[in-house]
Structure formats: C-alpha cells, structure tokens
Amino acid sequence: MLGSATDLTPYALDSSSFDLQALVHWLESTFTTTNPLQVATQLEMYAKILLEWNTSHNLSTTRTMADMLRQIVDSILPLRVIKPFDQCLDIGSGAGLPALVLGILCQQSHFTLCEPRKKRAAFLRFVAYRLGLKNICVENARVQDLSLSQRASLITSRASLSNTEIFAITRSLIADNGAYLLYKGGQSYHIALNASDPKVTLYRYNARIYVYKEL
C-alpha cells in the first residue's frame, strides 16, 4: 500500500535554509493564500520562538531554521489535497506541529489544540498570543477528557498513538462527514490500518507518510 502513496514533494522550494521571500513565492504559487507575506512572516516568527524556547525547555529536537522550514513544509503540504474544514482538533499538539502551522495558513478555520503537558500547553498559548491567532484554542487536557461544543470536521495528530487508538478515543469528537489527517513515519503509517479501506489515502513527503481517512 505504501508504494501507492502520492508524492507531495514541494515544487521549487529549497528547504536547506529559511528564505522568507522564497517561502512567500512558494505560498503564492502553491496555495490560495490571501496574504502570503503575512503568513510567511508569522511562520518565521513561530520558528524563531520555538528555537528560542528549545534552548531552555527542550520542546522539540529541531535546532535550526532550516530544520524548522522542513517541519513547516511537512505540516503544510496536505492542504493541497484534503477537503476544506472549519473545525480542527489536533491531538497531542506538543510544540505546535502541525496545528500551529495549519492555524496560520487557515485563519478562517477554528483549531483546538489538545496538549496534556502544562509546559507545552503554555508554549502553544504564548505563540498564539504573540502571533495574534484568534482561531487557536489550547486545551491543557488529555483527549479522553475533552469535550467540544462543536464536533471537529478534521482531526489531526503527529502523536505516537496508533491509528486504531486515535479513531477509538475521538469517535464522539468527530463530525459525521469528518476526516482524519495523521502524520506518520515511514515505519508506522500502517499500524492497525485497513489497507482495503477505500476511504483511506496515503501521501508521502520524504520520510513522512500522511494517512488521510474520510468518514
């Protein structure tokens, strides 16, 4: 099944360094972005804040702006192929990848970031405040204890939970016509995944496998 994954490698973007103008051009040419300069500037600011916090809080293994750009591109690429959504729930948001990045790109959609660790939840709230992201809500809670006023039309996660666990614990949180977008490593994409399910699509970018499942 992995062999049939669609390659989402970005066109004409050098991820070896964080070039703001190159990112602006890529956003303009690849996505329908209302204000690509503002979006790219917010992405750059997020990257710098994360690296700054990493020096004392060790939120992620990312250490350079070039690494951050690759992580940002990794987070953004599925927007090229998934259906539109208005309410997104991200499970185990950690340092904000992919949820903060998606929230910057999709400011007309509402994002609930579910993060049980207090330090990481505080970081997510700080970034949302600094970037003026009014569409971000951070819940310092386990997803098992979470309740939503409106069910999510998209559930995302880069957490290490298996696909089966994610589907099971979010059954009451996803809308009837919702979808899952799970960010997996090349060795973990298949965990408890029904290869014959016609509603599952796989996409690939470098070592990242995206599992997209529509209900």
Side-chain angles (χ1 to χ4, degrees):
M1 190 177 182
L2 182 54
S4 63
T6 301
D7 188 0
L8 292 184
T9 299
Y11 172 73
L13 180 65
D14 179 6
S15 59
S16 63
S17 64
F18 201 114
D19 184 327
L20 183 64
Q21 290 306 316
L23 181 57
V24 170
H25 178 70
W26 180 66
L27 290 169
E28 282 181 318
S29 60
T30 310
F31 302 95
T32 305
T33 308
T34 304
N35 191 335
L37 177 57
Q38 176 182 319
V39 168
T41 301
Q42 287 181 310
L43 291 171
E44 182 183 45
M45 185 181 299
Y46 161 60
K48 289 180 176 178
I49 294 171
L50 177 52
L51 292 181
E52 180 182 350
W53 276 57
N54 264 346
T55 60
S56 55
H57 297 290
N58 196 31
L59 298 177
S60 80
T61 59
T62 306
R63 292 292 181 264
T64 69
M65 287 296 286
D67 289 340
M68 280 302 305
L69 180 60
R70 285 187 284 271
Q71 296 278 5
I72 287 169
V73 170
D74 172 296
S75 299
I76 292 174
L77 280 174
L79 292 178
R80 293 173 54 192
V81 291
I82 68 174
K83 67 182 181 182
F85 60 93
D86 57 358
Q87 298 280 339
C88 177
L89 167 63
D90 184 67
I91 301 170
S93 299
L97 297 159
L100 280 178
V101 174
L102 296 178
I104 292 170
L105 266 289
C106 307
Q107 296 196 19
Q108 299 306 310
S109 301
H110 182 269
F111 289 77
T112 300
L113 279 55
C114 184
E115 173 49 56
R117 292 163 292 188
K118 290 183 178 179
K119 180 169 63 176
R120 286 168 170 77
F123 168 77
L124 296 170
R125 291 189 178 113
F126 178 77
V127 174
Y129 170 76
R130 281 287 303 274
L131 271 58
L133 299 174
K134 305 298 186 183
N135 61 330
I136 299 287
C137 172
V138 179
E139 295 287 348
N140 181 203
R142 300 189 315 151
V143 67
Q144 294 91 333
D145 302 323
L146 190 66
S147 61
L148 299 176
S149 58
Q150 184 176 344
R151 289 190 176 193
S153 50
L154 179 69
I155 290 181
T156 59
S157 181
R158 270 183 47 161
S160 57
L161 297 172
S162 72
N163 300 326
T164 295
E165 288 178 288
I166 292 174
F167 298 153
I169 63 180
T170 60
R171 191 168 299 164
S172 64
L173 301 174
I174 191 165
D176 292 339
N177 62 342
Y180 290 90
L181 174 61
L182 309 181
Y183 292 66
K184 299 289 185 177
Q187 301 302 316
S188 64
Y189 79 94
H190 62 284
I191 297 175
L193 184 66
N194 183 355
S196 64
D197 188 338
K199 294 186 177 181
V200 171
T201 306
L202 296 183
Y203 300 98
R204 177 197 288 125
Y205 166 52
N206 291 341
R208 173 69 63 205
I209 298 297
Y210 310 94
V211 176
Y212 185 58
K213 176 180 172 65
E214 296 186 55
L215 300 186

